Amino acid sequence: MKTRRGAPVWATGATRFAGMPSAHARIGILVLLVFLVACLGAITSPGPRPSSASGIAAGSVAADPPPPGQTDLLLYQSIVAGIRGGSPYYTAAAEAQRMGHYPLKPFFAVRLPTLAVVEAALPPILVNVLLLGLCVGTILAWVARLRPAMTGFVPLGAAGLLAVAGLFVNLDPSFVVFHEVWAGPLIAVSLALRRPGHWLPAVAFGLSAMLIRETALLYVAIMAVFAWIEGERRETLGWLGAIAIFAVVLAAHAHAVSLVSGPLDRVSEGWSGLEGFGFYVRLATISSGLDILPQWLASLVLGMALFGWLAWRDAVATRALVVFAAYAALISLFARSDNFYWALMTTPVLLVGLVFAVDGLRDMIAAARDTRRITVTRVIR
């Protein structure tokens, strides 16, 4: 037997939990509590920390430590400065990575040239303006996407503020050289723009994200699978076409890296961190406005945000939730302790789910508390 549905609080439509059987709702509450406890694993997670060495040279027994103060931020700044000084990208990247004791093997240890070349060609002030414009565009795209699903300006304004909180790091001009700072918002805009029959802008933004950061391939692949499942043949071909373009670019990149690397260059220590789900939660909280909160509270808020995406009964919510889960699994299994910036691929709109958590939690609790019984009365004539 299904339960009664309450009037919406913030969301105009019913959540996935509205009217669910009370037994299912009680199980759902238990699962939610277990999930929130798992999020609290971020408290004991060691969090991001520098690696002991960036890689080892082929045939070497051990690697000497990197120069004092060497960071990924300094590496990317050095590469941009080298290109501005007249060096080709791959020459500048190879020199900077050798100087900083970074690996050049395998080829994906070197970033694609897209972002560094563009930033080197533009004045720094213009680069910062472009990043700010991308962040503002991300917020506006999601406000427009959420407007039909919100009951008024209060929840819509809350969603906008939550998007600002998710872009907390992206809005910091000092991180403009980080590839994830650009790729994350591009993925978020792609998600917001995608609608049935109107997929071309979404594919274009997804391709742009891949050409800046290779791990955006995971997002594009997920979108291709969804399009195929839903029978959107042209959209499926669009996403696959974007992957094909990326594959050609990646092959050219691999060849270019091979021309500037040698047998004595360092080899990456690999991507098998196995840091766990708590590590992802920790990275996602420090990569957003949640960083101002105590870790235990930030972890619970993030968990409720993911619950909110599950509660929203909409195709874009399903896609977003699968994307978040996929990157969470990627980071939990493969990210090393110094790959803290990977979480920036998911944070731009992750917290927006909180606006749907209000109705979702209300509906689940109401369903679990429903004690209606069917009374059968026998009438004898």
Side-chain angles (χ1 to χ4, degrees), residues 111-327:
R111 294 286 183 266
L112 288 169
T114 313
L115 183 62
V117 171
V118 171
E119 291 191 351
L122 299 175
I125 183 70
L126 182 55
V127 174
N128 290 328
V129 170
L130 287 175
L131 180 56
L132 177 62
L134 176 59
C135 293
V136 172
T138 302
I139 296 168
L140 294 179
W142 272 98
V143 168
R145 182 66 179 81
L146 293 168
R147 187 171 183 179
M150 299 282 95
T151 57
F153 288 107
V154 172
L156 194 61
L161 291 175
L162 288 169
V164 172
L167 291 163
F168 177 77
V169 171
N170 306 69
L171 291 167
D172 188 338
S174 63
F175 292 106
V176 71
V177 293
F178 271 113
H179 302 74
E180 289 81 0
V181 163
W182 295 83
L186 287 171
I187 287 175
V189 173
S190 175
L191 263 175
L193 294 181
R194 188 271 165 192
R195 288 176 175 79
H198 299 279
W199 47 266
L200 187 57
V203 171
F205 277 99
L207 176 59
S208 300
M210 284 194 296
L211 294 179
I212 290 176
R213 186 65 172 102
E214 304 90 325
T215 51
L217 171 63
L218 179 58
Y219 162 75
V220 175
I222 290 171
M223 296 297 281
V225 170
F226 269 104
W228 176 72
I229 292 174
E230 295 175 356
E232 298 285 349
R233 182 174 176 273
R234 289 188 177 182
E235 182 181 350
T236 304
L237 292 176
W239 291 110
L240 292 178
I243 293 175
I245 294 173
F246 171 71
V248 172
V249 172
L250 195 63
H253 173 67
H255 177 68
V257 173
S258 69
L259 297 178
V260 297
S261 60
L264 297 180
D265 284 317
R266 295 169 184 267
V267 179
S268 172
E269 60 191 44
W271 286 269
S272 56
L274 296 175
E275 297 283 350
F277 179 66
F279 182 63
Y280 164 72
V281 175
R282 182 76 175 272
L283 297 190
T285 54
I286 67 175
S287 299
S288 67
L290 294 179
D291 193 36
I292 65 174
L293 302 177
Q295 184 60 61
W296 68 269
L297 181 57
S299 301
L300 295 177
V301 171
L302 186 137
M304 289 305 299
L306 290 171
F307 168 77
W309 284 106
L310 176 62
W312 186 17
R313 194 192 299 267
D314 192 279
V316 71
T318 304
R319 283 170 166 78
L321 188 63
V322 171
V323 169
F324 297 150
Y327 277 100

Side-chain angles (χ1 to χ4, degrees), residues 32-43 277-279 281 299:
L32 175 60
L33 292 175
V34 171
F35 176 68
L36 292 177
V37 170
C39 290
L40 289 174
I43 298 174
F277 179 66
F279 182 63
V281 175
S299 301

